[in-house]
Amino acid sequence: MTNIVADTREEKIAAIETLDARLRWLSSWIVHNANHIRPKRDGLKVGGHQASCASMTAIMAALYFHALRPQDKVSVKPHAGPVLQAIHYLLGNQSLAQLQQFRALGGAQSYPSRTKDKIPVDFSTGSVGLGVAITAFSSLVQDYLIAHGSIDETNAGRMISLMGDAELDEGNIYECLIEGYKHDIRNCWWVVDYNRQSLDSTTADRMFRRFDDIFETTGWRVITLKHGKLQRAAFARPGGKSLEDWIENCPNAEFAVLTYQGGAAWRARLYADIGGKPHVKKLLDSFDDDGLAALMTNLGGHCIESLMDAFDSADDERPTLFIAYTVKGYGLPLAGHKDNHSGMMNPAQIGKLRTTMGIETGEEWEPFAGLGGNMAAKLKNFIGSGVLAAKPAEPVADYIPVPARLAVPSGDVQSTQAAFGHVLLDLAKSSEALADRIVTTAPDVTQTTNLGGFVNQRGLFRRSDVADLFREAKIPSAQKWAAHAAGQHIELGIAENNFFLLLTSLGLAAPHFGTRLIPVGTVYDPFIARGLDALNYGCYSDARFLLVGTPSGLTLGPEGGVHQSINTPLIGMGQPGLAYFEPAYADEVALFMRWAFEHLQMPDGSSVYLRLSTRQVPQVERANTDWEADALKGGYWLRRPATGAEAAIAFTGAIAPEVLAAYDQLLDDIPGLGVLNVTSPDVLHREWSASKAARWTDKNPQTCHAEDLLSVLAPDAGIVTVIDGSPGALSWLGSVQGMRVSPLGTDRFGQTGDLPDLYAKYRLDSVAIIDAMAELFLKR
């Protein structure tokens, strides 16, 4: 069939206007069905955001059915999730069953999710603001891949965020803007649904023009869509300038009130304020009440023609902010009401909307109901011939070979942080394919987290070469950081949110761009918490990266309490999509890094977190490699106990010297004493927890590694657990076999000092371990 719907621009506008109305209906009905029709077993409100969807439908219709190209990627405003679901329903990518199960188990998700939704989702959203900033960093990653020859420059896509105006309150937006300016990002669009209402209030009027100033200062073009075609035509008529000035100066809250009250209220207010000015009354009287209400709410964000023109005007690589004025709840009886964020239409209201759209009862889910057979066929053809209908699925990137073993750094005394740096440097000097795919980054702590050697070898990434002026001036420096397009380290400022968002973008390079990267990011371990929301967001998106938290714990003595992490082991254990290891020795570092480089690439893999230390620790001699398999499962016997032994010390990380010193002193009094090196409280605990759950679901539950390890001890044995972190990371070990536990760790803020003093004060030294063991035997 000839696509006569869109032979001309006018016909294309008409088709997209029809789709705008269709998306408004379907998104409203999806939420209505979940709350008013689908049976409720728990009596709770399912929720949804009909008003937030309605303010976005024109923007999304114009974007998805006009402006988008196959290589573009979109992050959708969380509360507009049903609109995205409706778009893919019209495209045939979403099933009716999924829509009917919106916000139910296994159904369409509340907010767009890469990992939970069945439809294609470029970026997960839901954590407000993060889904916006991620697009800027994805633009940076795209530039990295272009510079490294993985993407053709002519095929660069736009990284687009559709955002609510309340997201502009999020601080990470502005941290991102600063970082983006440093890196001269491009091919990035942010489209603001500027409805001037949030959950609790309306936007402050004084913010007018402030967003323009902020974005323009950081190199962005700002395009404001305030008035639609109807308003612009009215402004051109006699009396129109007075009407335009009135709209321009109307406070946001008053505009919302009048929108909710409707045409008669608009007329009364306009008569009172500007009715005496020349030609104004005649202009207003040319519209009936419904027409006047339509005119006053004909803002740029609801005008398909204005939106198409705006998108077409930004046909270059400059980052662009579109501020699209909208009405929250546009086209619905909720429009403008202060409580419309979580409010929704009742059955009578949705029924009236259905009647207005010509949809018969029982045809609510029909994609083109109420349009008539001929028009429906033409619209189907218009959608089917569009770019989105032919958009390919996300690519599957090739596996990057990982060496069978990574060389263990030499030295009788080493820190795990230094060992990490040496392993990376050896890779940087090699010709391994893996080395070419590693991308490192850090929030202004590159030198102090031992990334410097890798950067010296592989260089900083910049699209344009930047000379190292210190080197050219022959000033001695350990840093030889040439910046060029082939560089493999992306330098960041100190904002940890940016750090984790960049790691997320790098970790999504495989599905987004078809080229797998191996991101390695280092951060001071206590400051993981500063970017925790972004870390969680990256793991939820199934981004794959190696996170190195270093230095960690009280072991960073002279730096004081703020720099001494306490709860990061619990973060590593509790964060889904993140496998946490804490090595004590250099050979463990090499082992875990090699495992991580493979695990990042596995379909059922995840990101990996290494908690490292600057403490110099005497290395242990290994008779063989038998310990490695157990270490990767979460723990191994560093000193194997005798069968039926009465006690053991279980430890994690850099506290190893104190543990071994206590062991040597206790061995005569407790023959057969064992020392368990818990290399991953996370992996060990997760398997134990899963084995417990399997007893109720698996016909043949298996014992877990923790049970196997501890089964050598006597059933009533005692365990002293020691970690330079929260004692809760290891104290659970007693529950595995019902053994007594005396946990040591840090649960208070630290302070400055040397290690002997700090370990003594916070009871992490060998004396404390011996005392804890004595306590276990006294309580028998």
Side-chain angles (χ1 to χ4, degrees), residues 581 591-592 625-638 640-641 650-651 675-692 694-695 701-713 719 730 732-733 735-737 739:
F581 287 83
L591 177 71
F592 298 150
T625 59
D626 292 351
W627 61 276
E628 293 182 347
D630 280 356
L632 289 170
K633 290 192 286 186
Y636 67 96
W637 286 109
L638 185 61
R640 182 168 293 279
F651 80 96
V675 176
L676 178 63
N677 184 353
V678 180
T679 54
S680 175
D682 172 37
V683 172
L684 202 63
H685 180 271
R686 194 178 332 123
E687 190 196 19
W688 172 63
S689 181
S691 72
K692 291 295 184 183
R695 296 181 180 181
Q702 304 294 313
T703 60
C704 65
H705 186 51
E707 289 174 318
D708 291 338
L709 287 170
L710 296 179
S711 63
V712 68
L713 302 176
I719 306 173
L730 293 181
W732 59 272
L733 281 169
S735 299
V736 174
Q737 299 281 28
M739 297 173 179

Side-chain angles (χ1 to χ4, degrees), residues 560-597:
V562 175
H563 282 67
Q564 296 166 354
S565 57
I566 296 171
N567 66 338
T568 47
L570 300 180
I571 292 172
M573 294 176 69
Q575 177 61 59
L578 187 70
Y580 148 56
F581 287 83
E582 186 164 349
Y585 301 109
D587 53 2
E588 294 174 6
V589 173
L591 177 71
F592 298 150
M593 287 179 69
R594 189 212 168 273
W595 178 87
F597 293 145

Side-chain angles (χ1 to χ4, degrees), residues 147-164:
H148 285 251
S150 297
I151 297 176
D152 191 282
E153 176 82 48
T154 60
N155 199 38
R158 296 188 188 99
M159 304 297 119
I160 302 169
S161 174
L162 305 176
M163 60 192 293

